[in-house]
Structure formats: structure tokens, C-alpha cells
Amino acid sequence: MHKTIIKLTCPDRVGLLARITAFIAEHGGNLDEVHQFTDSQAGWFFTRMAIETETLRLPLAQLRAEFSPLAAELNAQWTIRREADKMRIVLMVSRLGHCLADLLWRWKAGELPCDIAAVVANHEDFRTTVEREGIPFHHIPFTPGEKAAAFTNIERIWTDAGADLIVLARYMQIIPPDLCHRWQGRIINIHHSFLPSFVGANPYQRAWERGVKLIGATCHYVTPDLDEGPILEQEVIRAEHFHDTEDLLRLGRDCEKQALARGVRWHLSDRVLLHGKRTVVFRD
Amino acid sequence: MHKTIIKLTCPDRVGLLARITAFIAEHGGNLDEVHQFTDSQAGWFFTRMAIETETLRLPLAQLRAEFSPLAAELNAQWTIRREADKMRIVLMVSRLGHCLADLLWRWKAGELPCDIAAVVANHEDFRTTVEREGIPFHHIPFTPGEKAAAFTNIERIWTDAGADLIVLARYMQIIPPDLCHRWQGRIINIHHSFLPSFVGANPYQRAWERGVKLIGATCHYVTPDLDEGPILEQEVIRAEHFHDTEDLLRLGRDCEKQALARGVRWHLSDRVLLHGKRTVVFRD
Amino acid sequence: MHKTIIKLTCPDRVGLLARITAFIAEHGGNLDEVHQFTDSQAGWFFTRMAIETETLRLPLAQLRAEFSPLAAELNAQWTIRREADKMRIVLMVSRLGHCLADLLWRWKAGELPCDIAAVVANHEDFRTTVEREGIPFHHIPFTPGEKAAAFTNIERIWTDAGADLIVLARYMQIIPPDLCHRWQGRIINIHHSFLPSFVGANPYQRAWERGVKLIGATCHYVTPDLDEGPILEQEVIRAEHFHDTEDLLRLGRDCEKQALARGVRWHLSDRVLLHGKRTVVFRD
Amino acid sequence: MHKTIIKLTCPDRVGLLARITAFIAEHGGNLDEVHQFTDSQAGWFFTRMAIETETLRLPLAQLRAEFSPLAAELNAQWTIRREADKMRIVLMVSRLGHCLADLLWRWKAGELPCDIAAVVANHEDFRTTVEREGIPFHHIPFTPGEKAAAFTNIERIWTDAGADLIVLARYMQIIPPDLCHRWQGRIINIHHSFLPSFVGANPYQRAWERGVKLIGATCHYVTPDLDEGPILEQEVIRAEHFHDTEDLLRLGRDCEKQALARGVRWHLSDRVLLHGKRTVVFRD
């Protein structure tokens, strides 16, 4: 079954669901899966609807055009997308390759519905790993004083690749604020701590020093405020006194891989809706 | 805000959600929360809708009457209930009081939206615990050869109490098949293992002997087939080699309390829909 | 079997375990359970040994006297205690009673090997709950400007009760620094967040605002630095977008109860060894 | 620091730990890490001791020789091994490659202290994946009526490779009983269910039908009784009503990878001690 996905958020008001389902019914659409959430603290409405594409009487472009006036009236942010039109993503990595390897494996196994358009790295370490999968590998090193130029190159790669989503898979360079703004809601990072604990550098060392009994990882959208973006997913694992910093790094890798893979998967299937600092995630 | 809850399951067909939301809109109902699930393997549809009671233009009885023909046409099993009309429950217990104490505490704290109409026990141990909360306590002992008589008494208590739900909170007598049939979908049990592992007696001892690394508890509806009823919730905890059977009993109690409390809470708020051996749980 | 417990920490050096086990063997002691940990990052040694009391040829006082010179030579902090000599504890509570009720229940069920000498509260709410268990209840209210006097009273209760351990079971008054110092390592608190996230007030509200996907609770020793004391245990539970602040409070209560109960149990059985900001916990 | 590991199990008796630590002290050994466990239900003693190799005054072979009489007297099963002498392992795989890929990645990352001597598969699918890591790949297909011959070949590969451990990484052929006997305690399997639930074929399908709310994976030693061998590790993940069998397969893969990787790691570092159907695992 092919699916067409409507994703929509707007201020809450009476009868929203009925109006949207009526619109779909009007065009013959058979609903396969409906998620709805009303955040009454924020007065905001969120929905995701999966329609059987075959039942729709209009082609995609026309469906969007017909939906536009209703969406405008509702003051909505929305997308309508065919599941089969996979998003294009660019992976960014530095010297720790566990998330990269994990994402590549899941992508080949069909767990991540996307095309990987390119991998960008500030080191050469993973060229072979990437190129043997038939994916273009771009080495953009950082030399002092030329950070701006590097990011200009990087954004060009993103744009040329037609990227819908950028995934920072343990990429250790800070994305400049203007890039964050232009790509808002389209850059996902994995932070190696259970945010908001241990914002910034060396979280595992600091977790060891603080003596926490659980360590974690956080998958979040990137915003100009470092490690402050909306959270998609978090994962934790028990830490015990006999785990030194090296052990925490090892245990943490499993958290990082899982939190990132889930967050990316949900984004790719239009299951994440943003509202300020919070996300609505219709998990699968 | 007061809520009216529609809970419905029926064979899947096109346009179900639109028809039901349209019916609600027709009667002025403002939807607060909608859950929908289509089980495509089984070809079955499930929904739960919470409507703001104040926006409905009909009283409850009339709303039900108006809904009847639609429901009949859809071949649906359904209820419409006001959240404020709390279900009445009867708790059953033997000699282990941790689930009883936990449920009583949660009930007083407002976590379990119900009235506790009575507690039935086959021992006297918890009379004080129960009566000091103002709840009637019935001691129905089991003497050899008089099991049938005892269960006749028990069913009379259930009926007299106007019970909507029976909760077996570590009740160690097996409910007779005819009672299971008459009260189908209205008796919840907590089994002290991670089903289908260790069906039957002494699960912790058998878990120890098998050397499992996680133990658990299962909250399920009671059916004539022992420990085979539809599962509402399960909880697990790590077991290590240094845990002897006594330790497993202790650790397991925490699983039992949580799995039972969650299952009961979800039933009480119309969040559990049954289909054969499976449950659909719209968690909160 | 009765047990005598040696708990010891000291700077690491060669042959520590052999020397201590030799001392025990010399006095006829049969070891039932031995835990040892060397923190090589800190250069520190930790051990807990459970000896069958019946096999020891010396009474407790004399065993301690004989052990003293060895311990002094090792520069050790240590205790030798008979498990049967239960610690005496004082519980402190404000207006949220879930941890109090949970600890009382576990104590009656034999999960917490201690005597509860008294409960101190700054409100009257739980007098009946406490007194019907035969435990003295002290109401020490806080009136503006008389905080010091209140804590003088409180410390007198602790001292008169012969308290080995103070447990803050959702006690919402900040313990003054001098009390923290005098009772160092003998006051356990439950904080209603996954520390170091959300230090201070209203953690659930702040967790909701930050949109975290897991919430938690932290059981820690109290030090003059608020919420900065060594952590004994942490527990987490998943939070989803549909959980409002009230839901987080409800879910968090289960984390709080479990983390506190485990931390207290481990302290009561000499399973927690302190070193700076970190704890070594030989779990059971 | 180089380590020498003593692993020992024997019937329990007084003074075991003192005698063994005394033996080590006699030969100059500095203990870095000691684990001990007495199973009082079974009357059995288990220990693992890590000694700093540099402090030992005897070479390995001589240390073993000196230890022999003591071990014989204690009726012990034991090994003494230098951590630096990595075990050699052979991986077995069929058509599902997630565990294979995961183990290869962890091995390269240094998480699995071993040499991978060979990979054996009954299909050609992963030849490239394996050979590009410089590991020999053996394709041993199964043709009807020639199962015995295939396993003769397989055992020859194991023997020629000098294998210390065989890892069945989703290998879908049943190991014949005689092979199980000859390689007892040296074959580790991952079963794709939370044993003892769903022994045998199609566990995810059966988990879906039973409607369990958690699914899992079990890492265990292989014995002639299918899926009945001693368990090293188990992992679980939540399943909800909206997960169909395909989803369970996907979620289960993460459990399988983790449970297998941990079990193998612990075996490779002499952290697993067997006793009948149970394992003692001194986790790291």
C-alpha cells in the first residue's frame, strides 16, 4: 500500500479534525492511520494522517493546491508528502564512526526510508566505509581562521544534494547560527548526554565525576543555542561505580546509536511535529 | 473540563473515522482527544474519542440512542460513558497485600478514577487495612468441597456492589469458567511472571531455576484458560545471579504493583479495547 | 544465618584484600559474601564483607578493637556491624505522602531492615497514617523567622531517637548547612528530577517546558550544596508529548518511590560507600 | 596494565577466598579486581580474580602448575588466562546480517577482545562484508540428506581455526547434539525471543498473536536441548498494539544485537561462570 502523509500543526479550535477528515473524504481518501494531539497547555493542535494514495482522486500537486485555502484559514504549518518520495539526507561525521556505521547499516536494511545523498566529514577516516556503499564522500577540513569558508562549502554540498535533512552523526564542529536559522527543523544532532544534563564538552567525563547512576544520549534539532534545540528522543543505560570513563563511552555509544536512529526514522516518516522547544512524536 | 468518552471497535471499512467525527460534530461535540488504530493484519478498526461534555447538545441517554443505528450498521462493539460516572470496582486478595495496598494508595491519591465498592478476601489478614478506608470487607474462606458455594457468594457480592470491574490483586483462587464467561472483559488479574513464560504456579522459583536475566509481571484479563487472557501491560526488572528466590519475590513485587496499577487505570478510563487475544491500549 | 558486616574504604595499595581476609580467617570468620572495588582513577579501595557471625571467635566489641590497628595502618574509614542490630531511622515529610506511604509499607513487609524511630513533618496531614503504625509523629511547623529554632527542635528529635539515618521523604524544607555537616553521610533525600538536570524547584514543570523524553528521580546524600550530594540511585520513565505537567507528577512518583526505597535499603545494609562526590554501591 | 585472570567454581566450603588470595599473594600477585559469589541454594562457590601480570613472579605455565594441586583439592573447575592472549572465535550466520555486522563493528572498535578466525555461512550473502575485513569466509550450504557432512566440515573449520568460542549470529541451522556436547560451554547463540517464552520457530509472529507488551532476545549457551541452554543475557523493548510483525522484527533486532554483543564480551573476558542451567555473570 502506498501512502500519502498529511502533517499539520495549528492553533487549536473546535472541529479541526472533522474539517480535515471531511476534506480527505471529499477527495476519496481512505485513512489508514490517524494521529491527533491537542496540547491544552499551549492551545495548539497537531495531526498526522496517512491516506491510501490509490484512493485519492487528485494527483499530489493538485491535492496540495486544494488543501491550501483550508490550511491558510487554520493558520497552519503543514506538509503533504508521498511516502514513496523519500527524503534526501546528508550525514556529517568527525572521527567517531559508530553512529555513521549504524545509520548506514539501518539504511541498507530498510529501516531508514531515505536516500543518502552525501557524507561530509572533517577527517578522511571514513572515506572507504562511505564510498563502498556508493555514496559520495566530501572531506571538508577545518583550518584555523577558515571556518566560515568551510561552512560555505558545506552548505553548498547540502544545497547541491537537494538535502531535506542533515544528520550530525557525532560531528564535532559547531554549526554557525546563520546556517542553523536557514535550516531550522532540518538538522538533527546526537548529543552524548541526557540533556539538559551535561550540556557542552566531555559529558561522559563529567557524568563520571558527578557519579550519576544512569547515562544517556539525546537526539535533538539543532538551533543556534548549543544543545538547547527541541528533543526528538532520549535513551539511557545504567552506570555503576565500576564503570570508568572509558566504560561510559562504550555504554553510551549504544544509547547514541539508538536515540539517533529512532529520531531520524521518525523525522523521515513525518512523525515529528515541532512547537517551540517541544516536539510531538507520533512514534512507530 | 468534563469529558464524554466513545470507545468503539468494528470491522475496518473506508470512511469510518469521518463518519464518527461527523456524527459528533452534528451534535455539537468538541473533540478533545482522538485515538484511532487500524489493525490491517486483522482488518479491524479501533477508536477512542474524548468529547467535551459541555459542547454536546444532547444528554447522555439520547446521545447513545442516536448513535445506536450507526453503530449497528458498522457492526460495532461500543460504549459511550461520562468520565465523571466513575466505574465501581471490587478488589479480590489473598495473603499477599502489596498490590492491595498499592491500589488503595493510588485510589486515595486520585490516580485511579473509580469507586472501590468492596474488597473480598479468602483470609482475614487485611480487614483493618480495608475497613479503615471506609470500604466494606468480605471474608469468603474456601473450605474443601465448598468452592462452588464460595463463588456463588462472591458473585452475589460483585452483583450487589454493582461492579463494573473485578481486580484480582494477588488473589490465589482460580475463578470458575462460568464466572469467567459471565464477566468476560471485566476481570483483571496480575500474574507474577512475564507471560507466556512461567504460566501457573511458583513462577519466581522457576525463573530462578531457569536462570533468566529479567523477571516480570503481567496484567491481563481473566479467561477460562488460565494465564492465557489478553494482556494489558507487562513490566520487567533485571535479575542477577546473586538474587535468590526471595530476592526475586521482592523485586517482582515492584513489577506487579506497577503493571497492575497501569492496566487498571487504563481500563477505568476506557483506554483498553479488546480483540481476540490482543488488546489495543491508548496509553496515557 | 546471622551476619557481621565489615565496610571499609582506604587508599589503594598492594595486598589489601589478602590482609583483610587473613584477619577474618584468623578469628575463625567464614565469609559469606565479599565485594571489592578498586577505583583506579581515584586510587581508592572499597570493600564490603559479610561474615557468618556464629563462626567468629570474638564478640563484636573485641573484634572491632582487634581490627582497629590494621584499619589505622591502612588509613581506612570503616564500620563493623551486626546485621541484626538494625539501624534506627527518622523519616521527614511535608505534604506529599507517596514516599512516606511506600517506605512504611516496605518496612512492614520486611524490605527495609531498620527501626523507624520517628516521623517529623511540617504539617499535620500524616499524623494518623504514622501513629496507627505505632510510630511517634512530631509536628514541627515553620513560621517565618523561626527556622533556626525549628531545626534545633528537629535535631534534638534526631538525637533523642538515636537516629543512624535521616530520610527526607519529599521534605520540602532546606536542611541548614551546619546540620548537613554534623550529619554528613547520614541524611538521604529524594529529588524529583534526574540530576543534574533540573536542580532546584519545580523540576517537572521545567522538564515539560524543555520537552525531555524521559523524566526521573534521584536519591542522594544531603550536603550543604543543594542537590549536589553523592547519588545513591536514579530511576527514569518515558515521557511523551501527551503527558502534561500533572501526568509527569504522577509518573514521577513511581520513580521517586523506587529510587528512594532502593537507596535507603542499600544504606541500611551497609552497601553504600562514599568517596567524594561518588558512591560505590554493592547492590542486592 | 596487563592482567592475568583466574576463573574458578567449586563446591562451597569455609575459607575458600582466603586460600586463593593467599596463593596469589605468595606469588607476588597484586589483585586488581575480585568478584566472588556463593550460591547458598546450590552450595557452590564462584570467583573471578584479575591480577596485575607484572607483579606475578612466575610465568603463566608455571603459575598454572602451582595452582593445580590446590584446585584439585577444592574439586574446582578453573582457568588461568592472560587477558592479552585473546580468544579466537568463529562466527556463524545465515541470511540475517544485523548481528554479524554489529559484532564486526564492535570488534573493530575494540569492544570485543578477540580474534575473529573465520566466518561460516550457509549462504553467500555476506562474503564481501566479511572478506573486506580480512576475515576468511566459508560457505557451507545445506543440501537435503547431507547435513551430517556439512557439520563435519564445519567442525573441521572450527578446529583448524583453533576456535575458543563459536558465536551463532542468527545461524538458522540446528547444531547436532554430538557437536553441542564436544563444544559445551563454547557455543553462544542469540534467540530472537525472551526465553522461555516462544521457544522454537517464528517467535515474533507468535509474540504478536499472544499480544505481549514487551518483546526480547536471549543470549545463551547452546546445549542439545534447543533453546534450553544457560542464559548469559536478555534484553527487552516495549511493543505496542500498532506494531505489526514487521515492526516487531525491526525492534527485536536492536535487542538481539545488544544481548548477543554483551554476552559474547563477557564470555571473552572470563566473566561468565556456568553451573548447571544457571550462569554467574560478573558484568562490566
Side-chain angles (χ1 to χ4, degrees):
Chain A
M1 188 208 303
H2 295 100
K3 295 184 195 168
T4 298
I5 312 291
I6 299 185
K7 194 173 93 166
L8 177 148
T9 73
C10 66
D12 190 28
R13 60 155 88 173
V14 173
L16 281 172
L17 199 71
R19 290 194 62 182
I20 301 169
T21 52
F23 170 86
I24 294 166
E26 239 167 72
H27 295 288
N30 187 24
L31 283 167
D32 178 62
E33 192 186 351
V34 173
H35 285 94
Q36 170 268 3
F37 171 63
T38 306
D39 180 339
S40 46
Q41 286 183 256
W44 219 258
F45 174 85
F46 305 83
T47 193
R48 177 192 189 272
M49 301 187 183
I51 309 162
E52 290 180 45
T53 302
E54 287 72 10
T55 63
L56 285 166
R57 286 191 289 260
L58 296 177
L60 185 58
Q62 217 174 321
L63 190 74
R64 283 180 182 143
E66 299 276 330
F67 190 67
S68 250
L70 173 57
E73 186 199 326
L74 303 179
N75 232 330
Q77 284 195 291
W78 60 283
T79 58
I80 303 183
R81 212 173 56 85
R82 266 200 299 249
E83 216 179 39
D85 301 334
K86 290 184 186 170
M87 290 192 199
R88 293 177 65 75
I89 77 175
V90 172
L91 303 179
M92 311 288 294
V93 67
S94 292
R95 308 206 76 151
L96 295 171
H98 54 286
C99 286
L100 175 70
D102 185 69
L103 292 174
L104 288 177
W105 189 88
R106 291 180 196 267
W107 168 69
K108 287 192 286 179
E111 289 187 19
L112 296 179
C114 65
D115 293 320
I116 302 182
V119 174
V120 176
N122 52 334
H123 297 278
E124 280 285 358
D125 310 44
F126 303 116
R127 180 177 291 279
T128 313
T129 304
V130 169
E131 291 185 342
R132 72 189 182 193
E133 305 300 343
I135 301 167
F137 178 88
H138 303 274
H139 176 213
I140 310 283
F142 280 78
T143 41
E146 303 194 13
K147 193 169 163 162
F151 273 111
T152 303
N153 285 338
I154 286 169
E155 193 174 14
R156 189 172 311 126
I157 293 167
W158 295 357
T159 308
D160 290 354
D164 299 294
L165 178 69
I166 311 302
V167 178
L168 311 186
R170 298 303 307 271
Y171 185 67
M172 302 323 254
Q173 298 290 329
I174 294 169
I175 309 295
D178 59 320
L179 228 64
C180 294
H181 278 300
R182 279 194 296 278
W183 291 78
Q184 203 173 354
R186 290 183 292 157
I187 310 178
I188 289 179
N189 183 42
I190 182 72
H191 183 72
H192 42 315
S193 85
F194 184 81
L195 290 176
S197 295
F198 311 122
V199 168
N202 294 324
Y204 291 120
Q205 176 61 29
R206 288 151 65 209
W208 185 88
E209 285 162 8
R210 182 62 187 90
V212 293
K213 297 299 186 189
L214 289 158
I215 56 162
T218 303
C219 176
H220 64 95
Y221 288 105
V222 172
T223 60
D225 298 318
L226 190 65
D227 302 334
E228 294 288 333
I231 294 171
L232 288 102
E233 174 64 334
Q234 301 190 288
E235 186 55 80
V236 288
I237 195 167
R238 290 229 160 245
E240 301 208 45
H241 58 263
F242 50 75
H243 292 126
D244 60 20
T245 309
E246 283 300 307
D247 292 318
L248 298 186
L249 280 162
R250 168 175 55 88
L251 296 170
R253 282 197 291 265
D254 277 348
C255 292
E256 295 166 30
K257 287 188 284 188
Q258 289 188 66
L260 181 59
R262 283 192 218 124
V264 169
R265 176 180 165 91
W266 294 329
H267 181 100
L268 293 174
S269 44
D270 288 312
R271 294 181 175 278
V272 188
L273 293 85
L274 272 162
H275 188 247
K277 241 192 164 163
R278 291 171 48 78
T279 61
V280 168
V281 181
F282 298 124
R283 292 158 158 267
D284 76 342
Chain B
M1 187 208 306
H2 295 101
K3 295 185 194 168
T4 298
I5 312 292
I6 299 184
K7 194 173 93 166
L8 177 147
T9 72
C10 66
D12 190 29
R13 60 156 87 174
V14 173
L16 281 172
L17 198 71
R19 290 195 62 183
I20 302 168
T21 54
F23 170 86
I24 294 165
E26 240 166 72
H27 296 287
N30 187 24
L31 284 166
D32 178 61
E33 193 186 350
V34 174
H35 286 95
Q36 171 268 2
F37 171 63
T38 305
D39 180 338
S40 46
Q41 286 183 256
W44 220 259
F45 174 85
F46 305 83
T47 193
R48 178 192 188 272
M49 301 187 182
I51 310 163
E52 290 179 46
T53 301
E54 286 73 10
T55 62
L56 285 166
R57 286 190 290 260
L58 296 176
L60 186 58
Q62 217 174 320
L63 190 73
R64 283 180 182 143
E66 299 276 330
F67 190 67
S68 252
L70 172 57
E73 187 200 325
L74 303 179
N75 233 330
Q77 283 195 290
W78 60 283
T79 58
I80 303 184
R81 213 175 55 86
R82 267 199 298 248
E83 216 178 38
D85 301 334
K86 290 183 185 171
M87 289 191 199
R88 292 176 66 73
I89 77 176
V90 172
L91 302 179
M92 312 288 293
V93 68
S94 293
R95 308 205 77 150
L96 294 171
H98 54 285
C99 285
L100 175 70
D102 184 69
L103 292 174
L104 288 177
W105 190 88
R106 290 180 197 267
W107 168 70
K108 287 193 285 179
E111 289 188 16
L112 296 178
C114 65
D115 293 319
I116 302 182
V119 173
V120 175
N122 53 334
H123 297 278
E124 279 285 358
D125 310 44
F126 303 116
R127 181 177 291 279
T128 313
T129 305
V130 169
E131 291 185 342
R132 73 189 182 192
E133 305 300 344
I135 302 166
F137 179 88
H138 303 275
H139 177 213
I140 310 283
F142 281 78
T143 42
E146 303 193 13
K147 192 168 163 164
F151 272 112
T152 302
N153 285 337
I154 286 169
E155 191 173 15
R156 189 171 312 127
I157 293 168
W158 295 357
T159 308
D160 290 353
D164 299 295
L165 178 70
I166 311 302
V167 178
L168 311 186
R170 298 303 307 271
Y171 185 67
M172 301 324 252
Q173 298 290 330
I174 293 169
I175 308 296
D178 59 321
L179 228 64
C180 293
H181 279 299
R182 279 196 295 279
W183 292 78
Q184 202 174 354
R186 291 183 292 157
I187 310 178
I188 290 179
N189 183 44
I190 181 73
H191 183 73
H192 41 315
S193 84
F194 183 79
L195 289 175
S197 295
F198 311 121
V199 169
N202 294 323
Y204 291 121
Q205 177 62 29
R206 288 151 65 208
W208 185 88
E209 285 162 9
R210 182 63 188 90
V212 293
K213 297 299 185 188
L214 288 157
I215 56 162
T218 304
C219 176
H220 65 95
Y221 288 105
V222 172
T223 60
D225 299 318
L226 190 66
D227 302 334
E228 294 288 333
I231 294 171
L232 289 102
E233 173 64 334
Q234 300 190 287
E235 186 55 82
V236 288
I237 195 167
R238 291 230 160 246
E240 301 208 45
H241 58 265
F242 50 76
H243 291 126
D244 61 21
T245 309
E246 283 301 306
D247 292 318
L248 298 187
L249 280 162
R250 168 175 55 86
L251 295 171
R253 282 198 290 264
D254 277 349
C255 291
E256 295 166 31
K257 288 188 283 188
Q258 289 188 67
L260 181 59
R262 283 192 217 125
V264 169
R265 178 180 163 91
W266 293 330
H267 180 99
L268 294 174
S269 44
D270 289 313
R271 294 183 174 276
V272 188
L273 293 85
L274 272 162
H275 189 248
K277 241 192 164 162
R278 293 170 48 79
T279 61
V280 168
V281 181
F282 298 124
R283 294 159 157 266
D284 77 342
Chain C
M1 186 208 304
H2 294 101
K3 294 185 195 169
T4 298
I5 313 291
I6 299 184
K7 194 173 94 165
L8 178 146
T9 73
C10 65
D12 190 30
R13 60 154 89 174
V14 174
L16 281 172
L17 198 71
R19 289 194 62 183
I20 301 168
T21 53
F23 170 86
I24 294 165
E26 238 167 71
H27 295 288
N30 187 25
L31 283 167
D32 177 63
E33 193 186 350
V34 174
H35 285 95
Q36 170 269 3
F37 170 63
T38 305
D39 180 339
S40 47
Q41 285 182 258
W44 219 260
F45 173 85
F46 305 83
T47 194
R48 179 192 188 271
M49 300 187 183
I51 310 162
E52 291 179 44
T53 301
E54 286 72 11
T55 62
L56 285 166
R57 285 191 290 261
L58 296 177
L60 185 59
Q62 216 174 323
L63 190 74
R64 283 178 181 145
E66 298 275 330
F67 190 67
S68 252
L70 174 56
E73 188 199 325
L74 303 179
N75 235 328
Q77 284 196 290
W78 59 284
T79 57
I80 304 183
R81 212 174 57 84
R82 267 198 298 246
E83 216 178 36
D85 301 334
K86 289 182 185 170
M87 290 193 199
R88 292 176 68 74
I89 78 176
V90 173
L91 302 179
M92 311 288 294
V93 68
S94 293
R95 307 204 80 149
L96 294 171
H98 54 286
C99 286
L100 175 70
D102 184 70
L103 292 174
L104 289 177
W105 190 88
R106 290 179 196 268
W107 167 69
K108 286 192 286 179
E111 289 188 17
L112 296 179
C114 64
D115 293 319
I116 302 183
V119 173
V120 176
N122 51 334
H123 297 279
E124 280 284 356
D125 311 44
F126 303 116
R127 179 177 293 279
T128 313
T129 305
V130 169
E131 291 185 342
R132 73 188 181 192
E133 305 299 344
I135 301 166
F137 179 87
H138 303 274
H139 177 213
I140 310 281
F142 280 78
T143 41
E146 302 194 13
K147 193 169 162 161
F151 273 112
T152 302
N153 285 339
I154 286 169
E155 191 172 16
R156 189 171 311 125
I157 293 167
W158 295 358
T159 308
D160 291 354
D164 298 295
L165 178 70
I166 311 302
V167 178
L168 311 186
R170 297 302 308 270
Y171 185 67
M172 301 324 253
Q173 297 290 328
I174 293 169
I175 309 295
D178 59 320
L179 228 65
C180 293
H181 278 300
R182 278 196 295 280
W183 291 79
Q184 201 175 356
R186 290 182 295 156
I187 310 179
I188 290 178
N189 183 43
I190 183 72
H191 184 72
H192 42 314
S193 85
F194 184 80
L195 289 176
S197 293
F198 310 121
V199 168
N202 294 324
Y204 291 121
Q205 177 60 30
R206 289 150 66 207
W208 185 88
E209 284 162 10
R210 182 62 187 90
V212 293
K213 297 300 185 188
L214 289 157
I215 56 162
T218 304
C219 177
H220 65 93
Y221 288 106
V222 172
T223 60
D225 298 318
L226 190 65
D227 301 333
E228 294 287 334
I231 294 171
L232 289 101
E233 175 64 334
Q234 300 189 290
E235 187 55 81
V236 288
I237 194 167
R238 290 229 161 245
E240 301 208 45
H241 57 264
F242 51 75
H243 292 124
D244 62 20
T245 309
E246 283 302 306
D247 291 318
L248 298 187
L249 280 161
R250 167 175 56 88
L251 296 170
R253 283 198 289 265
D254 277 348
C255 292
E256 294 167 30
K257 288 189 282 189
Q258 289 188 66
L260 181 59
R262 285 192 216 124
V264 169
R265 178 180 162 92
W266 294 331
H267 181 99
L268 293 174
S269 44
D270 289 314
R271 293 182 175 277
V272 188
L273 292 86
L274 273 162
H275 188 248
K277 241 192 164 162
R278 291 170 49 79
T279 61
V280 168
V281 180
F282 298 123
R283 294 160 155 264
D284 77 341
Chain D
M1 186 209 303
H2 295 100
K3 294 185 195 169
T4 298
I5 312 292
I6 298 185
K7 193 173 94 165
L8 177 147
T9 74
C10 65
D12 190 29
R13 58 154 89 174
V14 174
L16 281 172
L17 198 71
R19 289 195 61 184
I20 302 168
T21 52
F23 170 86
I24 294 165
E26 238 168 71
H27 295 288
N30 188 25
L31 283 167
D32 177 62
E33 192 185 351
V34 173
H35 286 95
Q36 170 269 2
F37 171 63
T38 305
D39 180 338
S40 47
Q41 285 181 257
W44 219 260
F45 174 85
F46 304 83
T47 194
R48 179 192 187 272
M49 300 186 183
I51 310 162
E52 290 179 45
T53 302
E54 286 72 11
T55 63
L56 285 166
R57 286 190 292 259
L58 295 177
L60 186 58
Q62 217 173 323
L63 190 74
R64 283 176 181 147
E66 298 276 330
F67 190 67
S68 250
L70 173 57
E73 188 200 326
L74 303 179
N75 234 328
Q77 283 195 290
W78 60 283
T79 57
I80 303 183
R81 212 174 57 84
R82 267 198 299 246
E83 217 179 38
D85 301 334
K86 290 184 186 169
M87 290 193 199
R88 293 175 67 74
I89 78 176
V90 173
L91 302 179
M92 311 289 294
V93 69
S94 293
R95 308 203 80 147
L96 294 171
H98 53 285
C99 286
L100 175 69
D102 185 69
L103 291 174
L104 289 177
W105 189 89
R106 290 180 197 268
W107 167 69
K108 287 193 284 179
E111 287 187 18
L112 296 178
C114 65
D115 293 319
I116 302 182
V119 173
V120 176
N122 51 334
H123 297 278
E124 280 285 355
D125 311 44
F126 303 115
R127 179 178 293 279
T128 313
T129 305
V130 169
E131 290 185 343
R132 72 190 182 191
E133 305 301 343
I135 301 167
F137 179 88
H138 302 274
H139 176 212
I140 310 281
F142 280 77
T143 41
E146 302 194 13
K147 193 169 161 162
F151 273 112
T152 303
N153 285 339
I154 285 169
E155 191 173 16
R156 189 171 310 126
I157 293 167
W158 294 357
T159 308
D160 290 354
D164 298 294
L165 178 69
I166 311 303
V167 178
L168 311 186
R170 297 303 308 271
Y171 185 68
M172 301 323 254
Q173 298 290 327
I174 294 169
I175 309 295
D178 60 319
L179 228 65
C180 293
H181 278 300
R182 279 196 295 279
W183 292 77
Q184 201 175 356
R186 291 181 294 156
I187 310 179
I188 290 177
N189 183 43
I190 182 71
H191 184 72
H192 42 315
S193 85
F194 184 81
L195 290 176
S197 294
F198 311 121
V199 168
N202 294 324
Y204 291 120
Q205 177 61 30
R206 288 151 65 208
W208 184 87
E209 284 162 10
R210 182 62 188 90
V212 293
K213 296 299 184 187
L214 288 158
I215 56 162
T218 303
C219 176
H220 65 93
Y221 287 106
V222 172
T223 60
D225 299 317
L226 189 65
D227 301 333
E228 294 287 334
I231 294 172
L232 290 102
E233 175 64 333
Q234 300 188 289
E235 187 57 80
V236 288
I237 194 166
R238 291 230 160 246
E240 302 208 45
H241 58 263
F242 50 75
H243 292 124
D244 61 20
T245 309
E246 283 302 306
D247 292 318
L248 298 187
L249 280 162
R250 167 175 55 87
L251 295 171
R253 284 198 289 265
D254 277 349
C255 291
E256 296 167 29
K257 288 188 283 188
Q258 289 188 67
L260 181 59
R262 284 192 217 123
V264 169
R265 177 179 163 92
W266 294 330
H267 181 100
L268 293 175
S269 44
D270 289 313
R271 293 181 175 276
V272 188
L273 293 85
L274 273 162
H275 188 247
K277 240 191 165 164
R278 291 170 48 78
T279 61
V280 169
V281 180
F282 298 123
R283 293 161 156 265
D284 76 342

